[in-house]
Amino acid sequence: MLEAFGWGLLAGSSYFLGGLLALRWRVGNSVLLGILTGIGAGALLSAVAYKLVAEAGRLAGGSGYVGVGLIGGAVATAWVVTGAVRGRRLSAPPVHEPKFLVIGLSVVAEAVVITGALLSGYGISAAVLAAVFLCGVPEAMADTGPLRKSGMTTRHVMSAWLAMTFLCAASVAVFMVLLRAAPPEVVAFALAFAGGGILTNVTVRMVPEGLRDAGAATGIAIAVGFGLSFALVEILGGH
């Protein structure tokens, strides 16, 4: 459990680092930020495809839990991201102003990805850790400026990012305890549910934000991030 907490803390520290970088260089909407967002999106897509869903499929054994989990996670995430919880239509454009509820759900989903890597029997995968880190840094960088403009002080903003760091660590530790003793089908569903949430978050939040800042270069950045994450999986032989 302590090991899981440590890996979660390391991955979650990307949010705190991103906040520090944004305050240090006063990063706003920029091409660089859009490219970083694209790289993070690509890395997450690769981690979900080659680690998370693959492991869920192995555990499910063709029982259908992966499909149900993916759809459930996607619907739940879309519901929150579009603001449907406040009465908006699910088909409405996503809400892009920074909300710690949305960010927190993303952090928890990424914690499940890390837990899946730990439960796979190979220990933590560098590809998974890199994917979560590459996602957290640009997300925090992009949201820090708007949070400051909304009236939050620097201290409050950094305290919030620190809270996200510990949320990631605690979530990994808790999921390890809960899922380690759970039946394989339950683990498969949990992994797939997180995967569906991450895929939805990437497509409705990260990709549009990257396109807004970097245009078509975001597509190249996504391919780079995907390739980097996949290369780590290949180099490490799936370990």
Side-chain angles (χ1 to χ4, degrees), residues 111-175:
V112 178
V113 177
I114 298 171
T115 306
L118 290 169
L119 290 173
S120 67
Y122 302 120
I124 188 67
S125 165
V128 170
L129 188 63
V132 174
F133 208 90
L134 287 172
C135 171
V137 170
E139 186 169 9
M141 290 175 70
D143 289 343
T144 295
L147 287 170
R148 288 283 291 113
K149 290 179 181 178
S150 70
M152 293 183 67
T153 65
T154 298
R155 180 179 178 181
H156 286 157
V157 170
M158 292 312 301
S159 295
W161 291 131
L162 186 62
M164 292 297 138
T165 298
F166 280 96
L167 174 62
C168 184
S171 297
V172 174
V174 170
F175 284 130

Side-chain angles (χ1 to χ4, degrees), residues 35-46 130 134 216-232:
I35 290 175
L36 289 174
T37 301
I39 291 175
L44 274 179
L45 289 173
S46 181
L134 287 172
T218 304
I220 301 173
I222 290 173
V224 170
F226 191 98
L228 287 173
S229 185
F230 177 74
L232 283 173

Side-chain angles (χ1 to χ4, degrees), residues 2-236:
L2 286 177
E3 179 184 0
F5 184 89
W7 286 119
L9 191 66
L10 179 60
S13 65
S14 59
Y15 290 91
F16 190 78
L17 175 61
L20 283 178
L21 292 175
L23 291 172
R24 174 64 177 82
W25 290 318
R26 300 188 181 278
V27 177
N29 297 340
S30 64
V31 174
L32 175 60
L33 184 57
I35 290 175
L36 289 174
T37 301
I39 291 175
L44 274 179
L45 289 173
S46 181
V48 169
Y50 291 104
K51 297 296 291 183
L52 192 71
V53 174
E55 179 64 14
R58 183 186 69 81
L59 292 169
S63 61
Y65 282 90
V66 175
V68 174
L70 282 170
I71 295 172
V75 171
T77 302
W79 194 268
V80 174
V81 170
T82 58
V85 292
R86 300 192 301 275
R88 288 167 56 91
R89 291 180 294 108
L90 193 61
S91 58
V95 179
H96 288 292
E97 58 266 23
K99 298 290 184 182
F100 282 113
L101 172 62
V102 176
I103 298 170
L105 290 175
S106 176
V107 169
V108 172
E110 289 160 10
V112 178
V113 177
I114 298 171
T115 306
L118 290 169
L119 290 173
S120 67
Y122 302 120
I124 188 67
S125 165
V128 170
L129 188 63
V132 174
F133 208 90
L134 287 172
C135 171
V137 170
E139 186 169 9
M141 290 175 70
D143 289 343
T144 295
L147 287 170
R148 288 283 291 113
K149 290 179 181 178
S150 70
M152 293 183 67
T153 65
T154 298
R155 180 179 178 181
H156 286 157
V157 170
M158 292 312 301
S159 295
W161 291 131
L162 186 62
M164 292 297 138
T165 298
F166 280 96
L167 174 62
C168 184
S171 297
V172 174
V174 170
F175 284 130
M176 274 295 294
V177 173
L178 294 177
L179 296 180
R180 179 178 286 167
E185 295 82 2
V186 174
V187 178
F189 176 83
L191 296 182
F193 191 92
I198 289 173
L199 290 175
T200 301
N201 188 53
V202 166
T203 53
V204 303
R205 290 189 73 240
M206 296 184 69
V207 172
E209 289 171 5
L211 289 171
R212 179 196 63 200
D213 295 338
T218 304
I220 301 173
I222 290 173
V224 170
F226 191 98
L228 287 173
S229 185
F230 177 74
L232 283 173
V233 174
E234 290 293 292
I235 290 171
L236 296 174

